[in-house]
Amino acid sequence: MITFLSAVVLLIVGYAVYSKIVERVFGINDKKLTPAYENPDGLDYVPMSWWKGSLIQLLNIAGLGPIFGAVLGALYGPIAFIWIVIGCIFAGAVHDYFSGMLSLKHNGAQYPALVGKYLGRPMQAGINLISILLMILVAAAFTAGPAQLIAELTPLSFIVAIVLIFSYFLLAALLPVNKIIGRVYPVFGGILIFMAVSIAVALLFTDQSIPNITTANLHPENLPVWPLLMVTISCGAISGFHSTQSPIIARTIKKQSDGRKVFYGAMIAEGIIALIWAAAGMTFFGNTEGLQQALNAGGPAGVVNEISITLLGTLGGILAVLGVIILPITTGDTAIRSSRMMLIDLIKKGFSMADSKVIISAATIAVTVPAFLLSTIDYTFLWRYVGWTNQLVATVMLWTGAMYLLYNQKAHWVCGIPAVFMTAVVCTYVFYAPEGFSLSYPLSIVIGGILTLLIIIWYVKKIVSQNKKTASMNKAA
């Protein structure tokens, strides 16, 4: 229990201290108008208060991610606490802050456009495709579960439930951000927080003791911690999906200093939620073997339902149903919205402003249809491909932040160090994982290490080149 409580405190201290360092490194100016005031369009560029933006951001980036991922990550034991704390403070929250603030700095630009500006056009072309694909996969994967539960609890069939959910997706993606998302998301964000806090309080008063720190791998199937844990627990530590969501809120922020509370703060809140559910997974079933059996029987949704009902009674059952239905849907709708925004950025140059409504509608339908079709197949198959794609996007965003800082003669290591770490994660994972090349573990580590070394060499060359350029400019001045 001491480890769990210490981890929560460390996340709070991380926000109080490190977020200010990150903000200072980035550099803010509250005198400069934000995109919400410079380009108000009544659709995406709409000023909103920081507290409302924070709750919407939390729900956008969270959904069931910090619940399901943390429960699966709990199979590794208390080492999951270490990854959540370190990953959240030094990688995930930094990633979210820079993805949001760089978007704000560049007029609400989407993630691929930021990649293009700081990593080059070829990288932007590839990341455009990967990002939109990730959004479609997320929308599809986060829809099947709620639709199945709706079919079990109501007379509606699975297909009818899917159709209703995607009808809502279309509305949420097409209507102004303050009409549906701005009104109901703060409420759902409050439900997410209340659910997590209630579980945490209940855990503190159970007979079972939350396990304390150990670096031992307790996974029942003896799966390696590196790099699987870093992909299993993404939301709550670091998730590339967040970089696609942050521009939605970047277009609504009233002043630059709100960015620390909205982007860094929402990620810390998600980290705390992940800690709570990881602790619940480790504790409730006695040990990781018990958790594995529960997962085999009912999956993550069944585990969440059993924990909630047992610890919180009827209220827990209601919260569990709300969580398993509403939270993934609120992730899916913003995934469709952000993919719509990315697609518009790709095609809008050939159209006039008079065609804007047609473009918006066509782009929304273009990304909704494939997500709808994919949602009807096995979502566990989809989820296998979401994990690595998600962390690849996160890695590229960290390198984007590192290049921004380097080009502006700032402390680029703030993004550079976590970027190197995540590069090693994705390079090793893709060769070892079954959805990748399924190579042996030692060989995957060697190949991943070599690729990471090559990226480090590229990074060092960039630093040397930029330092020479800066020295030359200073000498000329």
Side-chain angles (χ1 to χ4, degrees):
M1 185 174 295
I2 293 176
T3 299
F4 167 69
L5 294 176
S6 298
V8 173
V9 170
L10 283 173
L11 284 180
I12 295 172
V13 171
Y15 172 73
V17 177
Y18 198 64
S19 70
K20 293 181 180 178
I21 295 174
V22 172
E23 181 184 61
R24 192 176 303 117
V25 168
F26 182 85
I28 61 170
N29 180 9
D30 277 344
K31 293 182 180 180
K32 181 175 174 56
L33 287 178
T34 61
Y37 290 111
E38 283 189 321
N39 308 289
D41 65 356
L43 178 64
D44 296 316
Y45 294 86
V46 180
M48 287 196 295
S49 61
W50 73 263
W51 65 267
K52 183 177 288 188
S54 295
L55 286 172
I56 296 172
Q57 175 73 359
L58 175 61
L59 206 60
N60 282 359
I61 66 175
L64 282 179
I67 300 177
F68 280 12
V71 167
L72 292 171
L75 289 170
Y76 292 90
I79 194 172
F81 293 149
I82 301 174
W83 165 236
I84 291 171
V85 171
I86 295 176
C88 187
I89 294 173
F90 298 107
V94 172
H95 166 280
D96 288 16
Y97 183 81
F98 274 83
S99 63
M101 293 303 291
L102 283 176
S103 175
L104 185 147
K105 182 180 180 66
H106 295 290
N107 196 33
Q110 289 294 298
Y111 163 67
L114 299 175
V115 172
K117 183 172 182 62
Y118 294 104
L119 294 180
R121 294 296 180 185
M123 181 65 78
Q124 180 181 1
I127 213 67
N128 255 315
L129 178 61
I130 293 173
S131 299
I132 294 175
L133 176 62
L134 175 61
M135 295 303 94
I136 292 172
L137 287 172
V138 166
F142 275 12
T143 303
Q148 187 63 51
L149 187 56
I150 290 173
E152 292 174 3
L153 297 176
T154 70
L156 300 176
S157 68
F158 175 78
I159 293 298
V160 171
I162 287 282
V163 170
L164 289 176
I165 291 172
F166 273 92
S167 297
Y168 162 74
F169 284 177
L170 284 171
L171 284 175
L174 289 171
L175 290 176
V177 68
N178 61 336
K179 295 301 181 183
I180 293 181
I181 293 175
R183 291 182 179 179
V184 302
Y185 269 40
V187 176
F188 294 150
I191 291 174
L192 176 65
I193 295 171
F194 178 77
M195 185 179 182
V197 171
S198 299
I199 292 294
V201 172
L203 277 176
L204 297 177
F205 292 97
T206 60
D207 294 334
Q208 298 273 14
S209 178
I210 301 173
N212 283 316
I213 192 73
T214 174
T215 57
N217 179 7
L218 303 181
H219 200 290
E221 298 177 3
N222 201 33
L223 295 178
V225 171
W226 173 270
L228 299 189
L229 178 60
M230 291 73 196
V231 176
T232 302
I233 301 182
S234 53
C235 291
I238 177 170
S239 168
F241 176 71
H242 299 186
S243 64
T244 67
Q245 301 302 291
S246 294
I248 296 176
I249 304 304
R251 297 182 179 191
T252 70
I253 284 181
K254 291 184 175 181
K255 56 183 180 180
Q256 291 188 11
S257 58
D258 287 345
R260 185 172 69 90
K261 293 174 280 191
V262 172
F263 300 119
Y264 201 104
M267 184 61 209
I268 292 295
E270 185 184 59
I272 293 174
I273 292 170
L275 280 177
I276 291 170
W277 281 101
M282 296 174 207
T283 306
F284 185 82
F285 299 97
N287 50 43
T288 54
E289 287 81 5
L291 173 59
Q292 181 70 78
Q293 292 173 6
L295 286 168
N296 290 340
V303 167
V304 170
N305 187 57
E306 185 175 351
I307 291 174
S308 300
I309 292 177
T310 304
L311 294 182
L312 303 177
T314 304
L315 174 62
I318 295 172
L319 289 175
V321 171
L322 284 174
V324 175
I325 291 178
I326 293 175
L327 297 182
I329 290 176
T330 58
T331 299
D333 62 4
T334 51
I336 294 295
R337 188 180 188 93
S338 58
S339 58
R340 180 263 290 172
M341 292 161 69
M342 290 179 194
L343 194 55
I344 287 175
D345 283 350
L346 283 174
I347 64 177
K348 67 181 181 182
K349 292 182 180 179
F351 297 86
S352 65
M353 288 302 294
D355 300 317
S356 60
K357 291 185 178 180
V358 175
I359 298 171
I360 290 170
S361 300
T364 304
I365 294 172
V367 295
T368 302
V369 170
F372 173 79
L373 295 175
L374 286 172
S375 68
T376 60
I377 68 175
D378 182 9
Y379 75 92
T380 57
F381 172 80
L382 294 174
W383 194 247
R384 288 168 55 187
Y385 292 92
V386 169
W388 181 78
T389 306
N390 185 45
Q391 297 306 61
L392 174 63
V393 168
T395 303
V396 174
M397 183 62 237
L398 284 172
W399 281 121
T400 300
M403 291 303 103
Y404 158 76
L405 294 174
L406 179 62
Y407 296 154
N408 287 275
Q409 302 176 46
K410 298 174 184 284
H412 53 84
W413 56 266
V414 168
C415 288
I417 292 176
V420 169
F421 179 86
M422 290 306 298
T423 297
V425 168
V426 298
C427 287
T428 304
Y429 184 89
V430 71
F431 288 100
Y432 178 67
E435 63 268 26
F437 294 98
S438 294
L439 300 181
S440 68
Y441 187 59
L443 182 58
S444 299
I445 290 179
V446 171
I447 297 175
I450 292 173
L451 292 175
T452 302
L453 180 60
L454 292 175
I455 296 296
I456 291 174
I457 293 172
W458 165 81
Y459 183 30
V460 171
K461 286 183 176 179
K462 280 284 186 180
I463 294 171
V464 172
S465 174
Q466 187 62 31
N467 287 344
K468 287 182 178 179
K469 183 178 179 180
T470 301
S472 176
M473 292 174 62
N474 290 338
K475 188 175 181 180

